[in-house]
Amino acid sequence: MTTHFDYDLIVLGGGSGGLAAAFRAAQHGKRVAMLEPGELGGTCVNVGCVPKKAMWLAADLSSRVTLAAAMGFDVPTRPTLDWKELVVHRQGYIANIHASYLKRLDDTGVVRVPRKGRLVDAHTVECSDGIRISGEHILLATGAHPQRPDIPGAELGSVSDDFFNLCSAPERVAIVGGGYIAVELAGLLQALGSRVTLLVRGERLLERFDAELTAQLAENLRHHGVQLHFNYRLRELRRDGDDVIAYGHDGPAEPRFDQLFFATGRRGNSAGLGLEALGIAIGDKGEVDVDDWQTTAVPSVHAVGDIAGKVGLTPVAIAAARKLMDRLFGGKPQAKMDYENVASVVFSHPALGAVGLTEQEARERHGDVRVYCTNFRPMVQALADGSQRSLFKLVCVGEDERVVGVHLLGEAADEILQGFAVAVKMGVTKAQLDDTVAIHPTSSEEIVLMR
C-alpha cells in the first residue's frame, strides 16, 4: 500500500460515477476520500433519472386512466393530479437514496468531505476551506450542467433542472431542443395537463437514433397534442407581463408561453478545477479529454461520467468507474470500457430504446444490410380507439444476418431492450433470435416482422 499519500484515491464528485468508483476502490481495500459539497447522487438522483422517472410514471398512469375510460371503466376521462403530493412522495424516495448512500459510505470506510476541490498538482487537492489532501490517484466525476443559448433574453428561459421545482403544470409550455431531455419533458408535461410546443433546431428528433423510429415518435407526440416545429432558430426571448414571447424562424403562430425550457445541451463541470495548469485538455463543451482507459494527460488523474465527454448515461458512468478501479487497484490491466453497443432508453410516451447501429450507420459500415421492421397499433390502443403506434426494428448484416442493431418504440421498451442488448453484444443472428425468442400468441400481430 502506498503510504506517503493521505489516500489511495480522491474522488471529486458524489454522483453515480464517483460513488461507483469510491465503493469499488474500497472493495479493493483502498483508502478513499470523496469531495462532494451537495447532495449525493449527482444529476441522476437529484435532477435527472430518478425524479424524471417518477414524473414519467405519473404521466404514464394519467395516460392509462384515460385509456381505461375509453374502454368503459367508470373513471374520469382526464384525471387530475395533486402535483404537490406527488412531489412529496418523489422527494421522500430520493431522501431514502441519500440515506442509503451515506450508510454505505460509512460501512465501506469512504471519507466524505463536504467541500469542493481544486487540483494543485498531479497528486494534491485543495478543498474549498483551504485544507490540502493528497492521493495516489485523483478521479474527476463532477458531472455537467444544463446551459442556455447565447441569445438576448435567455435568462427568461428555464433549464431542465428547474422542471423539478414546478408545483403545477404550466398551461402553455415551450421546450427548445430535440434531444433526450426535450422529448421527455414534452411527453411528461403534455400528459400532466400542459399544452406543449417543441421548438427543434434540426430536421428531426433525437438525431443519434434511427430516423424511422424518431419519425414515428414525432407522429405519436402530435397525436398526443404536442406541437412540433422543426428547423426552428430561436433569436430572442422577451417578457410581456406574465408571458414569455419567443422570436424565431418558422415558429408557432402564437409564440406566447407561461414558461419556456431550454433543453439545448449540457456543459461539463470542469471550470475551477485547476486542470489547465496541469496540462489537462478541456473540450469545447467543458469535457475533460481522456483516453480509452479514462485517463487524462496526467497519468494519476482520471475522469468518468458526463465530465469525461464519452457517453452521457448513468449506467455507462458506473461501468466506466468500476472498470477503472479494477484496472488501477484490482490487478485487471485489461479492464477497459467498451463504448460500442451501449443500450440507450428515452422515456418518451411510449418509451424509445436502441442498442447497436442504426440502419444508416450499418449501411455506411457494412453495406450488406437486411432490415426487419414492424409498425403496429398495440392492442390497448386499438381497444380504446387510440392513435399511438409502436415500432420494432432489427438491423442485420452479412449472409448470416448477424443482428447489429435493435430499435424499439413502445410498451416496456426499456425492459425488452435489456435482452436484445445482450444478443447484439454476443453477435447472434436473426435465425438464432427466431429460435430462442418466445412470443405469447395474443401478441403475434405485434411482432411479425414485415420487411
Side-chain angles (χ1 to χ4, degrees), residues 325-396:
M325 295 303 105
D326 288 344
R327 179 172 70 85
L328 296 179
F329 303 125
K332 297 182 179 179
Q334 301 305 316
K336 176 181 176 181
M337 187 63 192
D338 179 10
Y339 291 102
E340 287 286 330
N341 299 323
V342 173
S344 301
V345 176
V346 181
F347 283 96
S348 49
H349 284 78
L352 179 152
V355 61
L357 303 179
T358 65
E359 180 178 348
Q360 179 179 348
E361 290 170 341
R363 295 191 186 283
E364 292 172 354
R365 186 177 302 186
H366 297 280
D368 182 16
V369 175
R370 182 81 179 272
V371 175
Y372 296 89
C373 182
T374 179
N375 187 315
F376 57 92
R377 189 167 60 146
M379 181 182 291
V380 66
Q381 292 288 331
L383 291 173
D385 292 327
S387 57
Q388 300 291 296
R389 300 187 67 83
S390 294
L391 189 147
F392 177 46
K393 186 173 186 178
L394 292 180
V395 180
C396 307

Side-chain angles (χ1 to χ4, degrees), residues 96-408:
N96 288 337
I97 296 176
H98 292 157
S100 176
Y101 283 148
L102 287 170
K103 182 179 185 303
R104 191 172 177 193
L105 288 174
D106 289 341
D107 291 345
T108 56
V110 175
V111 177
R112 185 197 174 196
V113 181
R115 299 285 187 273
K116 290 184 178 181
R118 179 182 65 86
L119 275 66
V120 177
D121 58 40
H123 296 281
T124 306
V125 173
E126 183 177 81
C127 304
S128 52
D129 58 3
I131 295 176
R132 294 187 176 188
I133 57 177
S134 62
E136 181 181 7
H137 291 276
I138 298 172
L139 176 66
L140 309 174
T142 50
H145 62 275
Q147 57 183 356
R148 291 178 171 85
D150 184 16
I151 60 170
E155 70 280 359
L156 300 176
S158 304
V159 295
S160 56
D161 289 2
D162 299 321
F163 167 77
F164 300 106
N165 295 325
L166 293 178
C167 294
S168 61
E171 183 177 349
R172 301 163 302 168
V173 178
I175 301 172
V176 182
Y180 274 84
I181 295 173
V183 166
E184 292 179 342
L185 289 184
L188 288 174
L189 286 166
Q190 186 72 27
L192 295 178
S194 297
R195 290 186 285 120
V196 177
T197 299
L198 259 178
L199 305 174
V200 186
R201 183 179 181 86
E203 296 182 351
R204 65 182 183 90
L205 301 174
L206 301 167
E207 293 184 350
R208 291 191 299 173
F209 286 80
D210 187 89
E212 192 169 4
L213 205 71
T214 60
Q216 184 58 62
L217 173 62
E219 190 63 23
N220 283 355
L221 286 172
R222 290 191 183 97
H223 283 300
H224 201 45
V226 176
Q227 295 186 41
L228 285 88
H229 296 271
F230 293 103
N231 296 308
Y232 179 84
R233 300 292 187 274
L234 180 63
R235 300 193 309 270
E236 181 181 2
L237 295 182
R238 294 182 188 173
R239 172 76 71 183
D240 182 14
D242 293 333
D243 293 347
V244 175
I245 306 177
Y247 294 90
H249 172 70
D250 196 24
E254 180 56 40
R256 291 176 173 266
F257 306 99
D258 298 298
Q259 193 158 5
L260 179 144
F261 287 95
F262 290 115
T264 50
R266 299 174 66 81
R267 184 173 183 82
N269 294 327
S270 56
L273 296 182
L275 305 181
E276 295 91 340
L278 298 182
I280 296 175
I282 298 175
D284 294 338
K285 297 182 179 180
E287 74 278 15
V288 175
D289 186 28
V290 296
D291 61 17
D292 291 339
W293 306 93
Q294 306 298 145
T295 300
T296 70
V298 177
S300 59
V301 180
H302 319 273
V304 298
D306 288 350
I307 194 175
K310 296 290 187 180
V311 179
L313 298 172
T314 296
V316 174
I318 293 171
R322 289 172 176 168
K323 287 181 179 294
L324 175 62
M325 295 303 105
D326 288 344
R327 179 172 70 85
L328 296 179
F329 303 125
K332 297 182 179 179
Q334 301 305 316
K336 176 181 176 181
M337 187 63 192
D338 179 10
Y339 291 102
E340 287 286 330
N341 299 323
V342 173
S344 301
V345 176
V346 181
F347 283 96
S348 49
H349 284 78
L352 179 152
V355 61
L357 303 179
T358 65
E359 180 178 348
Q360 179 179 348
E361 290 170 341
R363 295 191 186 283
E364 292 172 354
R365 186 177 302 186
H366 297 280
D368 182 16
V369 175
R370 182 81 179 272
V371 175
Y372 296 89
C373 182
T374 179
N375 187 315
F376 57 92
R377 189 167 60 146
M379 181 182 291
V380 66
Q381 292 288 331
L383 291 173
D385 292 327
S387 57
Q388 300 291 296
R389 300 187 67 83
S390 294
L391 189 147
F392 177 46
K393 186 173 186 178
L394 292 180
V395 180
C396 307
V397 300
E399 294 183 1
D400 60 349
E401 295 192 330
R402 176 170 55 90
V403 180
V404 296
V406 178
H407 308 275
L408 304 165

